[in-house]
Amino acid sequence: MRRVSILGATGSIGQNTIDLIARAPNAYDVVALTGAGNIEQLAKDARRLKADVAVTAHDHLLEDLRTALEGSGVEAAAGTPAIAEAAARPADWVMSAIVGAAGLAPGLAALQQGSTLALANKESLVCAGQLMLSTAKTHSARLLPVDSEHSAVFQALVGEDMAAVERIIITASGGAFRDWPIEDLANATLDQASSHPNWDMGQRITIDSASMFNKAMELIETREFFGVEPKQIEVLVHPESMIHAMVGFRDGALMAHVGPPDMRHAIGYALHWPTRCDLPVARLDLAEIGQLSFRAPCETRWPALRLAREVMQAGGLAGAVFNAAKETALDGFIAGQIGFNDMAAIVEDVLTQMSAPRGHIDATMSLDNVAKVDHLARQEATRAIHKRAG
Ligand code: NDP
Ligand code: MG
């Protein structure tokens, strides 16, 4: 039996992972499930999958979790350190699906005990890509991509030599506002930004799709994961979300990964890697689909893409600043304090503030330094939000 843990088990990726694991209960020994606010779901799945331990990120919910697990034999724990401890329990395969920078420390803890880490939490690579990769290397742990574009690139690279790769193209649906007049974006509401044309995902990543901050993060994630130069990575708007990524080789060939917009494909690929197993995803009927369309991304509509290129250029801890400012600006938008366009403007302000002169971005990459710049960037972003909110 394979020992598996799911960090962020109550979220959209976590639930899709559980869907796959629950279909083959005899194949898996579930070690840890973690969540935050959704105690009912966490306890239900921990009971059903007979997990060793269930952990909520919120200390004040420990009693609720204990009560919900009473008589089940599942251990209950709470708090951020308890999540990292659960991630460090010996397991063969760990799903990293906590949302945000909170996923970094537990992901590192799993790598340190040599687990294969299936990485949905793109923030880990954006904030601390070199640290993630070096930790994996030191502990002979394997990182497998779960973000659909990166899983697609990974699959297109099987058997290929990286030296033959000319470019990597990641696609973007364009999100909720792809076809809106640019001048209307300033007044986009939370509800409008929270609905995705093709994918069913958590609210934060759905809004990040509308602003293209998600794709901006994925540009950085691509650079870190595959070690290519920023100029080798392209974003292509592809409204149907059928082709997830393409790899272009030096002989001019393009290998495209085509599949339905269902995260269980990428999760299942990482779960069964290096083999392929049956997955409960729809089979595409391309004759019925008829046409696939593509267009170049407009950086006026989506300034996040330009900012990601600046972050890649800056290197160091710029990714951690970018992510923290983005997360804080997103909180501000969700709370109704700022408008849709203010998110990119705030991230740009914070990046400018925290660039070279004060040296934050140039500090060595360690978990402590990432936490430090994350904290400072959140403070700057909060200040910027208050200024804009008047
Ligand atoms: P969700 O918001 O649906 O779920 C997030 C999970 O993290 C939940 O289990 C939540 O607990 C938990 N959580 C929230 N805050 C904390 C915290 N501070 N500490 C510990 N746990 C916390 O997110 P998604 O599943 O959509 O996304 C997860 C990750 O995967 C993100 O990094 C996202 O970018 C990435 N991703 C997601 C895709 C998707 O299709 N959804 C596609 C590709 C990548 P609770 O719900 O109990 O509060
Ligand atoms: Mg993606």
Side-chain angles (χ1 to χ4, degrees), residues 91-350:
D92 302 304
W93 188 89
V94 177
M95 166 53 77
S96 166
I98 289 172
V99 67
L104 174 60
L108 284 171
L111 290 173
Q112 279 159 359
Q113 59 91 20
S115 290
T116 290
L117 190 69
L119 193 68
N121 177 268
K122 61 193 79 182
E123 295 87 348
S124 310
L125 282 184
V126 171
C127 296
Q130 290 314 306
L131 185 59
M132 290 290 288
L133 296 178
S134 64
T135 305
K137 199 169 170 198
T138 307
H139 298 275
S140 304
R142 185 171 283 280
L143 266 175
L144 293 173
V146 171
D147 211 345
S148 57
E149 297 75 5
H150 306 77
S151 173
V153 171
F154 191 73
Q155 294 179 52
L157 285 171
V158 171
E160 302 287 354
D161 182 351
M162 276 311 285
V165 173
E166 208 167 56
R167 58 185 177 146
I168 291 178
I169 302 170
I170 56 173
T171 60
S173 69
F177 306 141
R178 180 183 62 218
D179 300 315
W180 276 37
I182 291 186
E183 55 279 11
D184 290 355
L185 291 179
N187 299 316
T189 66
L190 178 60
D191 269 359
Q192 288 165 332
S194 302
S195 78
H196 195 284
N198 305 331
W199 294 90
D200 179 14
M201 311 184 284
Q203 186 191 36
R204 298 181 75 87
I205 186 173
T206 302
I207 301 169
D208 282 349
S209 294
S211 62
M212 281 273 190
F213 266 111
N214 182 48
K215 211 51 54 181
M217 303 273 287
E218 290 178 357
L219 273 172
I220 304 169
E221 187 185 4
T222 305
R223 168 169 170 65
E224 298 297 335
F225 212 110
F226 300 104
V228 289
E229 292 301 318
K231 63 177 187 309
Q232 291 178 281
I233 318 169
E234 299 169 22
V235 172
L236 181 65
V237 177
H238 167 43
E240 296 85 2
S241 297
M242 297 286 169
I243 295 181
H244 305 303
M246 293 179 245
V247 178
F249 294 93
R250 59 197 295 182
D251 61 357
L254 270 182
M255 298 294 284
H257 181 284
V258 191
D262 183 334
M263 284 310 294
R264 290 177 305 175
H265 172 73
I267 296 167
Y269 186 79
L271 183 61
H272 300 299
W273 182 90
T275 56
R276 286 188 188 270
C277 289
D278 291 352
L279 290 175
V281 300
R283 271 46 178 174
L284 291 182
D285 180 341
L286 290 174
E288 191 180 309
I289 292 163
Q291 283 189 336
L292 296 178
S293 56
F294 306 96
R295 50 179 116 147
C298 162
E299 290 194 1
T300 314
R301 179 182 295 276
W302 294 301
L305 297 177
R306 171 178 53 81
L307 296 176
R309 298 223 173 255
E310 290 172 15
V311 166
M312 289 191 285
Q313 183 72 36
L317 298 178
V321 171
F322 179 71
N323 179 67
K326 190 276 292 179
E327 285 189 21
T328 312
L330 179 59
D331 289 338
F333 177 66
I334 292 174
Q337 294 170 300
I338 53 169
F340 185 76
N341 288 343
D342 291 330
M343 290 191 283
I346 285 171
V347 173
E348 185 157 18
D349 279 0
V350 175

Side-chain angles (χ1 to χ4, degrees), residues 9-10 33-35 38-46 54-56 65:
T10 48
L33 296 183
T34 81
N38 193 347
I39 297 298
E40 195 184 325
Q41 190 69 49
L42 181 60
K44 191 173 138 210
D45 288 326
V55 192
T56 162
L65 182 60

